Amino acid sequence: MTTNTQAQLGADNNTKVLEVCKVCGKAVKMELYVLGRSKTVNCKCECDEQKRKREEQERRKQEFEHERSLNKKYSLMDNKARSAVFENLTVTEENKKYIMAAENYCRQWELNKRENNGLLFYGKTGRGKTTIACCIANRLLDTGVSVKAMSVIDMLQRIRDSFNSYGTDGETELKGEIKRADLLILDDIGAEHKTDWSAALVYEIIDARYRSGKPTIITTNLTISALRDHLTDNNGVARAYDRLVEILSLVEFKGTNYRQAISEEKNYNFFEGVKE
Ligand SMILES: Nc1ncnc2c1ncn2[C@@H]1O[C@H](COP(=O)(O)OP(=O)(O)OP(=O)(O)O)[C@@H](O)[C@H]1O
Ligand SMILES: [Mg+2]
Ligand SMILES: [Zn+2]
């Protein structure tokens, strides 16, 4: 290193640059002469700070990816539910308002979460309620939101199983996960065989979500008044229903029965080319 370079690097008669940063060229190790003694000091350049920031960013990104894959893994969704994505839906004049509103619900997730905006999809069978609810689940799971989605029948079965396998602790743990998820989707409420046990459990979950202010999306093919009856307890009090109407926007799914349309298309293919 020439004297000139030493001077350029900020060295003088009492200092000597021992090492420079390979990236920015600034001095990172100096020798100081104080009262006839020499001392080596390390100094930092901005590259250190930048490197630390990059590593921190990378660590956060990995944590997010990890969290996201765990959320997906433990979403409790079955394979059909996992495969429902907005990108694969057939958009028609009839269904596009549901699809657009559902995508909008995802875009406004932070607001919906803050204000506990849930949804009640109701309507006759085969109108796409489950499909759209699952598209919302998958879109939000992709952005790192913790979502649990399952049918009420499945939820009751899982809770029963967890009790049978792991006792009260197992049951409490699973119920806790369902209660704590950022978003809970309970599909097909009203399809379950109602017993005192199932009614109490459904109430417990709805009440916990209501009290903690966490959004829930519910689908049903019951009419609103039949749903109210379904959620009315033996004493004639509609406690669970009253909580739901306070936090859910009611969305009626009308239009074509997809299942019938799919089955007609299949029948056509089946007989195609057959001569009588
Ligand atoms: N937009 C869509 N494009 C293509 N297929 C669809 C669409 N919506 C629903 N389907 C298909 O139609 C069938 C019925 O839809 P889905 O199960 O969502 O109806 P549902 O309203 O939940 O019915 P149910 O009340 O009986 O539970 C499914 O096989 C689904 O994959
Ligand atoms: Mg359904
Ligand atoms: Zn540097």
Side-chain angles (χ1 to χ4, degrees), residues 156-174:
L156 296 173
Q157 186 62 47
R158 279 173 185 275
I159 291 176
R160 200 178 287 124
D161 288 350
S162 70
F163 177 75
N164 290 338
S165 310
Y166 308 104
T168 316
D169 284 354
E171 185 189 357
T172 310
E173 172 68 24
L174 178 60

Side-chain angles (χ1 to χ4, degrees), residues 20-28 44-48 50:
V20 292
C21 166
K22 290 188 184 71
V23 181
C24 69
K26 284 196 180 147
V28 287
K44 286 198 163 156
C45 60
E46 279 168 16
C47 302
D48 269 345
Q50 277 168 8

Side-chain angles (χ1 to χ4, degrees), residues 80 84 88-92 95 99 122-133 187-188 219-222 253 257-260 262:
K80 185 161 168 67
N88 294 348
L89 293 181
T90 312
V91 184
T92 63
N95 71 17
I99 297 173
Y122 69 102
K124 293 190 186 128
T125 188
R127 264 63 182 182
K129 301 180 295 294
T130 299
T131 306
I132 299 249
D187 191 33
D188 230 354
T219 85
T220 185
N221 46 41
L222 296 179
F253 274 61
N257 181 343
Y258 290 102
R259 286 206 192 91
Q260 216 167 322
I262 293 167

Side-chain angles (χ1 to χ4, degrees), residues 9-218:
L9 288 167
D12 55 28
N13 290 341
N14 295 321
T15 54
K16 186 179 170 195
V17 174
L18 298 179
E19 200 179 316
V20 292
C21 166
K22 290 188 184 71
V23 181
C24 69
K26 284 196 180 147
V28 287
K29 196 185 260 183
M30 312 263 276
E31 192 164 35
L32 307 183
Y33 303 99
V34 187
L35 302 171
R37 288 174 144 203
S38 81
K39 194 180 168 196
T40 307
V41 288
N42 294 310
C43 21
K44 286 198 163 156
C45 60
E46 279 168 16
C47 302
D48 269 345
E49 183 58 14
Q50 277 168 8
K51 187 169 167 240
R52 202 191 56 73
K53 276 192 187 150
R54 271 199 309 274
E55 282 170 359
E56 176 69 17
Q57 255 174 11
E58 187 54 35
R59 196 179 55 76
R60 287 225 187 101
K61 202 173 130 198
Q62 278 175 9
E63 266 174 22
F64 173 79
E65 285 302 336
H66 180 67
E67 185 86 18
R68 181 164 77 161
S69 65
L70 286 184
N71 283 339
K72 284 188 181 181
K73 189 169 166 196
Y74 296 112
S75 68
L76 306 179
M77 291 164 80
D78 60 28
N79 287 341
K80 185 161 168 67
R82 280 172 200 251
S83 69
V85 287
F86 286 113
E87 291 74 11
N88 294 348
L89 293 181
T90 312
V91 184
T92 63
E93 272 308 308
E94 214 172 57
N95 71 17
K96 76 174 178 203
K97 68 172 181 188
Y98 301 108
I99 297 173
M100 282 164 66
E103 287 194 287
N104 204 36
Y105 181 85
C106 298
R107 264 194 298 279
Q108 308 223 319
W109 169 248
E110 286 306 323
L111 174 81
N112 291 328
K113 183 180 171 182
R114 220 172 29 247
E115 301 195 342
N116 189 10
N117 294 328
L119 302 163
L120 173 64
F121 290 168
Y122 69 102
K124 293 190 186 128
T125 188
R127 264 63 182 182
K129 301 180 295 294
T130 299
T131 306
I132 299 249
C134 292
C135 289
I136 293 177
N138 287 314
R139 173 70 56 88
L140 291 177
L141 278 167
D142 265 341
T143 60
V145 177
S146 79
V147 183
K148 299 268 185 271
M150 78 223 92
S151 70
V152 173
I153 292 178
D154 189 27
M155 176 181 81
L156 296 173
Q157 186 62 47
R158 279 173 185 275
I159 291 176
R160 200 178 287 124
D161 288 350
S162 70
F163 177 75
N164 290 338
S165 310
Y166 308 104
T168 316
D169 284 354
E171 185 189 357
T172 310
E173 172 68 24
L174 178 60
K175 283 198 286 194
E177 281 177 27
I178 293 169
K179 291 175 188 174
R180 278 193 305 270
D182 291 336
L183 174 66
L184 172 66
I185 297 183
L186 282 183
D187 191 33
D188 230 354
I189 198 166
E192 76 278 19
H193 171 63
K194 189 178 168 184
T195 64
D196 285 350
W197 176 77
S198 76
L201 232 163
V202 168
Y203 174 73
E204 182 186 334
I205 301 291
I206 290 173
D207 183 56
R209 305 285 305 173
Y210 173 81
R211 280 189 289 118
S212 60
K214 289 180 170 238
T216 307
I217 296 178
I218 288 182

